[in-house]
Amino acid sequence: MTGTAPASAGPAAHLSEVDIKEIGRELDQIRDKVIADLGDDDARYIRRVITLQRGLEVGGRALLMASLLPPVWLAGTTCLAVAKILENMEIGHNVLHGQWDWMRDPQIHSSTWEWDFASPADMWKHSHNFAHHTYTNILGKDRDVGYAFLRVSPEQSWHPIDLAQPLSNAILAAGFEWGIAIYDVELERAWRGEKSWAEVLSQLGSVLRKATRQVVKDYVAFPLLAGPAFLPTLLGNLTANVTRNVWSHAVIFCGHFPDGSEVFTEDQLEDESRGEWYIRQLLGSSNIDGGPLLHIMTGNLSHQIEHHLFPDLPSNRYAEIAPKVRDLCQRYGLRYNTGSLVRQTANVWKNIFRLALPGPKPRPADTPPISATA
C-alpha cells in the first residue's frame, strides 16, 4: 500500500484513491463518536471487571489453602486461572494500551499498571504498542510476525529449523509469558548488530527481576502459606499459569495468523496515508465469533480487527463498533476475516504445520480482490 495506490495489487487493488480517503474518514468518524461518548458507564465497567478479577484471585488462592481435597483444588485452580486470564487479557493488556487513561485514575493507568505477567510492562509497551501496532504485519518491521522464530507466512524464508516449529509452538503456548518476556529483549537484533549487548543485559536484568517476583509469588510464597497443602497449591498455581498461557497464545494467534491475514513489505509503508494504514489493519487481522463471555475472556481480542483499528479505545466498545466495521468492509469489498474459535485455532495450527515445510510459494501480488465476507 504505497502513497498513490495502496495494496496496488491484492485484496485492496480495486479501491480508488477516493475510496481509500473515504474509508479513513468513516473510521475516524467511528473513533471520534466513541471518544465523545465515553463516560461513567465505561468507568464502572472496568472497575467492576477489576473487582471481579481480584475477588476470583482471592477466592482461588483461599481455596487452594485447603486443596488437599481434590474438588476444592479444582475449584481453587479454576478460579485462579480465570482471574489470571482476566488480569492479562481484559485488564492488563488493555490498560497498558492506554484505553482507560482518559479516566485520569492513577490506579488504572498505562503509566502505573504492572501486570501479572513475566514481561515487564515498560518493555512490553514498546514491543507491542509501538512496534507491533505501528508496523502491523510489515515483514522486517513487525516482529510479531512469527515472534522472530516461527514461520507463519509463505513470504518468510524457510530454514531447516522450521521443521521443528509444531513442537516449538506447543512449547511456546505452555510458557507464553516467558517466551514473550525473552522476545521483548530482542536478542536477534543484538546478534545482527542493531542493538548493543549492554542494552540487552540491562533488559535481561529487568526481566530477571520481574520473573523472580513471579516465581516467588506463585511457586514459593503462596505454597508455603498453604502449609500441608504446599504441593497441591504449587500444582494449582502452575496449572493456572499454564492455562492462562495456552489461552492467551490461542487468542493472539487466532487474531493474527489464520488464512486471510495479509502481510506487507516495507516499501508499502512509503507515504502511507491514514486510510491506507486503516486498510492494512483490516487486512492483517482476524476476529473470533462468540458471545459476551468469550469476548471478555479474550480481553475483547476476539475483536482483533477493531482492536488493530482503534487500539486505544476501551475494549468494552469493540462489540458495538464491529457491525459498523463489517458493514464498511462489505460496502468496499474488503475481507472481514472472522470465524469460530475452533475454526480459527485449527486454521492456525494447519498453517504452523504446513509452513514448517519448504514452500508454498509467496502469495502473488496480483491476486484479484477477495469477497467481503470470510
Side-chain angles (χ1 to χ4, degrees), residues 12-290:
H14 58 293
L15 297 175
S16 68
E17 291 186 35
V18 173
D19 290 334
I20 295 159
K21 187 174 182 179
E22 182 61 19
I23 287 170
R25 188 195 68 79
E26 288 192 40
L27 290 171
D28 277 342
Q29 188 176 59
I30 290 172
R31 181 179 185 276
D32 291 344
K33 285 184 177 180
V34 172
I35 290 175
D37 190 52
L38 294 176
D40 291 343
D41 288 345
D42 302 282
R44 278 192 291 271
Y45 169 81
I46 190 59
R47 290 189 174 113
R48 285 171 179 168
V49 173
I50 291 172
T51 298
L52 172 64
Q53 184 274 326
R54 290 175 176 170
L56 285 168
E57 181 169 0
V58 170
R61 293 196 184 281
L63 287 168
L64 285 173
M65 296 292 180
S67 58
L68 291 172
L69 300 172
V72 178
W73 181 89
L74 180 61
T77 301
T78 300
C79 286
L80 186 58
V82 172
K84 284 177 173 288
I85 288 170
L86 284 174
E87 198 282 332
N88 272 192
M89 305 297 285
E90 182 67 341
I91 303 171
H93 171 273
N94 297 329
V95 170
L96 291 175
H97 257 296
Q99 293 181 6
W100 303 99
D101 287 1
W102 61 272
M103 293 167 53
R104 302 183 186 278
D105 183 340
Q107 302 302 315
I108 311 174
H109 198 277
S110 61
S111 64
T112 59
W113 193 272
E114 187 59 70
W115 57 351
D116 181 24
F117 207 59
S119 183
D122 286 345
M123 288 175 56
W124 181 86
K125 282 189 288 187
H126 171 77
S127 65
H128 185 80
N129 292 5
F130 171 71
H132 174 56
H133 278 274
T134 301
Y135 303 112
T136 308
N137 284 26
I138 298 288
L139 290 174
K141 298 288 285 185
D142 182 4
R143 296 172 61 253
D144 281 20
V145 178
Y147 290 92
F149 81 102
L150 292 173
R151 184 172 182 247
V152 295
S153 169
E155 284 76 12
Q156 293 172 280
S157 300
W158 181 85
H159 303 283
I161 196 172
D162 294 329
L163 291 168
Q165 74 175 23
L167 176 60
S168 59
N169 189 46
I171 294 171
L172 175 64
F176 196 52
E177 64 174 314
W178 305 104
I180 293 300
I182 297 302
Y183 163 78
D184 286 345
V185 178
E186 303 178 321
L187 289 172
E188 80 283 358
R189 290 189 59 219
W191 291 327
R192 294 196 300 262
E194 300 170 1
K195 180 177 181 177
S196 73
W197 283 103
E199 185 179 359
V200 166
L201 291 174
S202 175
Q203 291 180 330
L204 283 173
S206 296
V207 170
L208 181 60
R209 288 189 291 274
K210 180 71 183 294
T212 299
R213 293 197 295 271
Q214 294 296 104
V215 169
V216 169
K217 171 172 66 77
D218 279 340
Y219 305 127
V220 179
F222 279 107
L224 283 174
L225 286 173
F230 176 92
L231 287 178
T233 300
L234 177 65
L235 180 60
N237 286 346
L238 176 62
T239 302
N241 280 323
V242 171
T243 300
R244 182 270 316 279
N245 288 343
V246 171
W247 176 255
S248 301
H249 174 278
V251 170
I252 291 167
F253 273 53
C254 284
H256 294 87
F257 305 135
D259 286 340
S261 296
E262 298 292 323
V263 295
F264 309 89
T265 58
E266 288 190 51
D267 62 349
Q268 291 174 297
L269 280 173
E270 185 180 351
D271 299 323
E272 186 179 56
S273 69
R274 180 69 168 170
E276 292 164 1
W277 182 88
Y278 273 135
I279 291 169
R280 178 157 56 85
Q281 309 309 311
L282 281 168
L283 297 180
S285 312
S286 302
N287 279 10
I288 304 170
D289 294 333

